[in-house]
Amino acid sequence: MSTWTRKTDYPILTRRIPCWPFGDPKGRRTISIDEYMKPPAEMGWDTRAGTLAGYESLRKAITTYSPDELVEVVKKANLRGRGGAGFPAGMKWSFLPKPDANGDGGQRYLAINADESEPASFKDRLLMDFDPHLVLEGIAIACYACRIQTAYFYIRGEYHHQAKVMENAIREAYARGIFGKQGLLQGAKTKNRDQAWAVDVHLHRGAGAYICGEETGLLESIEGKRGWPRNKPPFPAIKGLFGRPTIINNVETLAHVPSVVEMGPEWFAGQGCNSSFQGAPPSWGTKLMGVSGHVNRPGVFECDLGIPLRVLIEGKDYCQGMRGGKKFKGAIAGGISMGVLGPDQMDAEMDFDIGRKYNVLGLGTACPTVFDEDTDMVAVARNIARFYKHESCGQCTPCREGSGWLYQLLCKIERGDAKSKDLDLALEVATSMGTMPGTTICGLADGNNWAVRTIMNKYPVEFEARVKRTYVQVGLTVGVG
Amino acid sequence: MAWITKNSAGMKIPRRSEPYLTEALKSELTRTILPRYETRRGALLPTLHAVQHEWGWIPWQALEEVAAFLNVAPAEAWDTASFYEEFWLQPKGTNVIAVCRSIACEVCDHKKITQACKEKLGIEVGETTDDGKFTLVELECLGLCEGAPACLVNEDMHMCATPESITKAIDQAKNAPSHGHGHHH
């Protein structure tokens, strides 16, 4: 067992949602706006991540900072995006064009990515289910910082219940004058030339398409089109929704913003870990990690970034070991597109450096699915390939066709009908589509590639045992003619 | 597969005289949804959701009406509607059982859940029972991975499902009054 100890011994994102390792999930309920707006001490919530009542971080943000100062705060906190890529949110916000001199730069949009569709990812659901106002407060602060007046909360179609909770929370917030045309917080004067800043939030439901989680696919979907990703550049910060500058942030990223504003970037830097690579950006803050698969206690945990996967799986405060005492065979790094951590990589630190250190694509959503020794990794690869075949949007030929061929090859290998040259062919297909070879618009095929390649490379024996040998005739013709 | 589109040549379009997109629906959408978007087309997904909620599915005639309402070509409405798996362009049962088949659920044996549904309903995946009450589908990840194997019974999440629990849920759905939309088969 590793000697890792957590730096943050109190809940931040989950202080109103009982959640391991800080509380027992039994008795969770959706926090109403009345409860949310009470001081945490009065409600019995942990105050180490801030004593301000709900929406008071928003008040602090708009009354003590100008929009540009606020972007600097988030930049300084190095709050990296929690949706998969780990791109620093403050940096993203600073890419928006500066509004012109009279302050009227036309419409700018915020799109919140709650299209949590990647298999194995389910951590944002927790926030939407139980603490919707935390997310809304983050949205309000982000809108002020980026001078945005309209936000679309893009929630996946399958989240019926969560859509209702969010819709209700938005209604509650409007009724209290937090959103609406009078300006944030009943038209409070902001530090932006003493004017009120009005923000509208709309819920937009998707309808069952994974690709709409890709940021430009998401924008197309809000515009009422198929979720076909757009060519970049122009990047959404310049030309996004309805052709206007647009910021796209993940739910959890925005949920971090209120406490960063209240407690400051230095506090945020005290959680998580620094990068072990010189000059690389740090992995500060806590992260919601959703563990599923063959563990005793699957669920969402709030952890410092950098927690070793072994602690997450074996720790008594976390998953309490492998189900049935079985041996660890591997784990999806965090959403299937990130690839698989092999049997010898259980000590991998769950931070944004994981990709460079352990030959996976990245941390992703930090939602590992854990496999025990009885898992058939060929079937795992086939399942993943089927997902990508199903969800390929069909826009780029290499992905549309390649994902289908890859699925067929893996089915053939699983059935035992394949030859060893089919393994080479599968690997070849899994390297020739995607943005990294430069043959597709978006990264969907890269996810497919990394998942299939890492599984094939980390469990070669299983694949080789399933195929018939291909004998290549090496001929020497002697003495003929 | 999102990219497979209609069989245009042999398609017969059933029509009826009364509209699917009723005046009541139109005025509701005009009041609440249209002002949210910079273009009328932006309201397409919410409009399709509203039609499906009302009728249980989206007939071609309804798509034409939606297209006219939002000033887009019928082909554009179809283009969008056909892309999204959740929009039903054929009639479905009053209740939909959706079993998750993605990675966490597969390694936690989702097959026994699908099997239990098949036996209980007497249909295969993708089929609807003869009485039009149930449709069984398998979907990609529902985002309920910590409760694998998981499924949706209509809009309700069922986590840590067992053959017994899903059979019970089907019985409850069967006996429950219709869950919202006035679906006519």
Side-chain angles (χ1 to χ4, degrees):
Chain A
M1 190 81 189
S2 158
T3 53
W4 183 85
T5 46
R6 60 175 180 245
K7 274 185 173 172
T8 314
D9 57 1
Y10 52 87
I12 299 164
L13 291 177
T14 63
R15 64 172 156 158
R16 295 177 199 86
I17 314 167
C19 201
W20 293 308
F22 307 109
D24 193 318
K26 273 196 207 91
R28 276 179 190 168
R29 64 178 200 290
T30 304
I31 304 299
S32 71
I33 196 163
D34 288 325
E35 296 170 290
Y36 186 77
M37 288 179 77
K38 290 206 174 110
E42 199 177 305
M43 296 298 296
W45 294 324
D46 201 291
T47 51
R48 284 169 285 182
T51 52
L52 289 182
Y55 290 111
E56 287 304 311
S57 292
L58 170 61
R59 192 176 304 281
K60 181 180 174 189
I62 64 176
T63 53
T64 53
Y65 299 111
S66 72
D68 291 338
E69 289 164 353
L70 203 47
V71 173
E72 281 309 310
V73 169
V74 177
K75 236 181 180 174
K76 213 171 150 205
N78 235 306
L79 171 58
R80 297 177 68 176
R82 264 50 176 170
F87 194 82
M91 183 108 73
K92 195 187 254 186
W93 294 359
S94 68
F95 291 158
L96 279 172
K98 291 273 165 268
D100 53 22
N102 60 12
D104 176 28
Q107 271 283 15
R108 295 139 77 100
Y109 294 105
L110 174 69
I112 299 97
N113 190 341
D115 190 72
E116 189 171 48
S117 313
E118 175 133 329
S121 301
F122 55 97
K123 45 113 191 152
D124 292 337
R125 200 185 80 233
L126 182 86
L127 296 170
M128 295 184 250
D129 255 337
F130 302 112
D131 205 356
H133 287 287
L134 176 66
V135 181
L136 291 178
E137 187 169 2
I139 292 169
I141 297 173
C143 285
Y144 171 69
C146 300
R147 298 180 169 91
I148 286 168
Q149 291 183 306
T150 310
Y152 292 97
F153 192 89
Y154 190 103
I155 187 166
R156 65 180 303 204
E158 290 86 345
Y159 281 179
H160 299 278
H161 174 72
Q162 292 73 18
K164 282 176 198 152
V165 174
M166 288 306 304
E167 186 128 51
N168 186 48
I170 292 172
R171 206 177 300 124
E172 286 177 334
Y174 267 94
R176 297 298 177 90
I178 287 155
F179 298 110
K181 55 180 177 299
Q182 78 289 341
L184 289 169
L185 294 169
Q186 301 89 28
K189 279 186 181 175
T190 70
K191 220 194 145 198
N192 184 23
R193 293 174 294 135
D194 273 348
Q195 286 174 354
W197 189 259
V199 174
D200 275 313
V201 183
H202 306 303
L203 188 90
H204 184 97
R205 286 185 60 213
Y210 169 66
I211 195 59
C212 294
E214 199 276 347
E215 54 179 18
T216 53
L218 185 146
L219 300 182
E220 290 282 303
S221 183
I222 297 178
E223 291 182 9
K225 301 172 188 159
R226 334 184 115 207
W228 273 7
R230 298 174 182 169
N231 255 319
K232 285 155 275 197
F235 289 94
I238 308 300
K239 196 164 181 262
L241 191 57
F242 302 115
R244 301 292 313 163
T246 304
I247 292 292
I248 301 128
N249 278 142
N250 173 261
V251 172
E252 188 190 345
T253 314
L254 292 166
H256 270 291
V257 173
S259 57
V260 169
V261 168
E262 180 180 353
M263 305 293 283
E266 294 76 18
W267 166 82
F268 192 72
Q271 309 150 29
C273 61
N274 285 312
S275 175
S276 47
F277 296 104
Q278 190 134 34
S283 299
W284 290 342
T286 59
K287 173 92 190 66
L288 296 180
M289 301 197 185
V291 191
S292 58
H294 300 142
V295 292
N296 281 324
R297 201 168 72 170
V300 179
F301 305 85
E302 185 173 3
C303 314
D304 283 297
L305 280 164
I307 183 173
L309 181 62
R310 184 184 294 279
V311 175
L312 196 52
I313 293 172
E314 294 180 348
K316 72 171 172 29
D317 294 336
Y318 302 94
C319 293
Q320 301 185 336
M322 299 292 295
R323 195 176 284 179
K326 294 253 170 73
K327 266 204 240 130
F328 172 83
K329 184 170 194 176
I332 304 267
I336 56 170
S337 63
M338 296 297 125
V340 164
L341 293 162
D344 55 343
Q345 295 180 322
M346 199 179 179
D347 289 303
E349 302 88 359
M350 302 289 287
D351 60 36
F352 289 109
D353 289 339
I354 195 170
R356 278 168 84 177
K357 283 189 188 160
Y358 297 98
N359 192 25
V360 288
L361 185 51
L363 181 66
T365 54
C367 290
T369 295
V370 180
F371 306 125
D372 69 18
E373 55 192 310
D374 298 335
T375 312
D376 176 357
M377 296 310 286
V378 179
V380 169
R382 182 261 304 139
N383 181 300
I384 291 174
R386 184 194 58 209
F387 174 81
Y388 284 105
K389 165 184 162 275
H390 187 88
E391 297 296 344
S392 173
C393 79
Q395 193 176 195
C396 312
T397 312
C399 168
R400 180 185 67 229
E401 303 299 322
S403 59
W405 283 110
L406 200 52
Y407 172 58
Q408 287 189 39
L409 277 167
L410 286 162
C411 285
K412 198 172 159 192
I413 296 167
E414 192 186 11
R415 283 198 310 269
D417 294 342
K419 293 187 171 176
S420 52
K421 67 174 180 184
D422 290 323
L423 297 178
D424 298 332
L425 185 58
L427 281 174
E428 193 188 325
V429 174
T431 28
S432 53
M433 54 181 178
T435 55
M436 287 180 205
T439 57
T440 60
I441 291 172
C442 85
L444 185 137
D446 298 290
N448 193 355
N449 289 348
W450 275 82
V452 171
R453 278 196 333 239
T454 52
I455 296 173
M456 290 183 74
N457 289 333
K458 291 178 186 183
Y459 304 89
V461 178
E462 281 191 46
F463 283 83
E464 275 154 23
R466 293 288 257 278
V467 296
K468 298 177 192 122
R469 296 269 169 80
T470 310
Y471 292 102
V472 180
Q473 194 179 0
V474 183
L476 258 187
T477 314
V478 181
V480 178
Chain B
M1 251 153 296
W3 41 272
I4 288 182
T5 50
K6 60 174 178 159
N7 61 337
S8 49
M11 202 168 85
K12 283 207 183 73
I13 301 166
R15 291 181 193 281
R16 62 179 217 186
S17 53
E18 66 270 39
Y20 288 94
L21 191 62
T22 56
E23 288 306 317
L25 259 179
K26 275 189 194 170
S27 67
E28 172 74 11
L29 289 164
T30 307
R31 194 173 59 80
T32 59
I33 301 295
L34 288 182
R36 295 182 179 183
Y37 298 91
E38 209 173 300
T39 62
R40 276 181 90 85
R41 185 171 181 169
L44 184 49
L45 259 69
T47 305
L48 292 173
H49 272 303
V51 168
Q52 178 157 297
H53 185 75
E54 187 72 18
W55 303 102
W57 66 297
I58 306 171
W60 174 259
Q61 184 186 324
L63 268 177
E64 287 179 338
E65 290 163 13
V66 167
F69 176 58
L70 297 178
N71 289 343
V72 297
E76 288 176 307
W78 177 278
D79 183 76
T80 299
S82 63
F83 184 81
Y84 296 92
E85 194 163 1
E86 223 172 273
F87 292 136
W88 288 77
L89 303 177
Q90 289 127 29
K92 64 171 164 59
T94 343
N95 300 285
V96 176
I97 314 291
V99 182
C100 178
R101 64 176 187 185
S102 280
I103 190 67
C105 288
E106 175 164 329
V107 300
C108 292
D109 207 4
H110 80 296
K111 283 204 184 91
K112 66 175 194 283
I113 308 300
T114 306
Q115 189 55 36
C117 293
K118 283 191 200 170
E119 281 168 15
K120 174 75 183 163
L121 299 170
I123 51 174
E124 290 297 308
V125 173
E127 291 180 351
T128 301
T129 52
D130 289 339
D131 61 3
K133 279 210 165 145
F134 285 94
T135 297
L136 175 64
V137 290
E138 275 192 353
L139 293 183
E140 296 296 351
C141 194
L142 300 172
L144 308 172
C145 314
E146 83 270 44
C151 45
L152 284 178
V153 176
N154 298 318
E155 297 184 356
D156 300 331
M157 305 176 277
H158 278 252
M159 314 232 280
C160 305
T162 60
E164 296 74 39
S165 76
I166 190 66
T167 313
K168 208 171 137 200
I170 290 173
D171 278 331
Q172 279 169 354
K174 191 184 257 171
N175 300 326
S178 168
H179 63 278
H181 60 72
H183 170 38
H184 310 286
H185 209 25

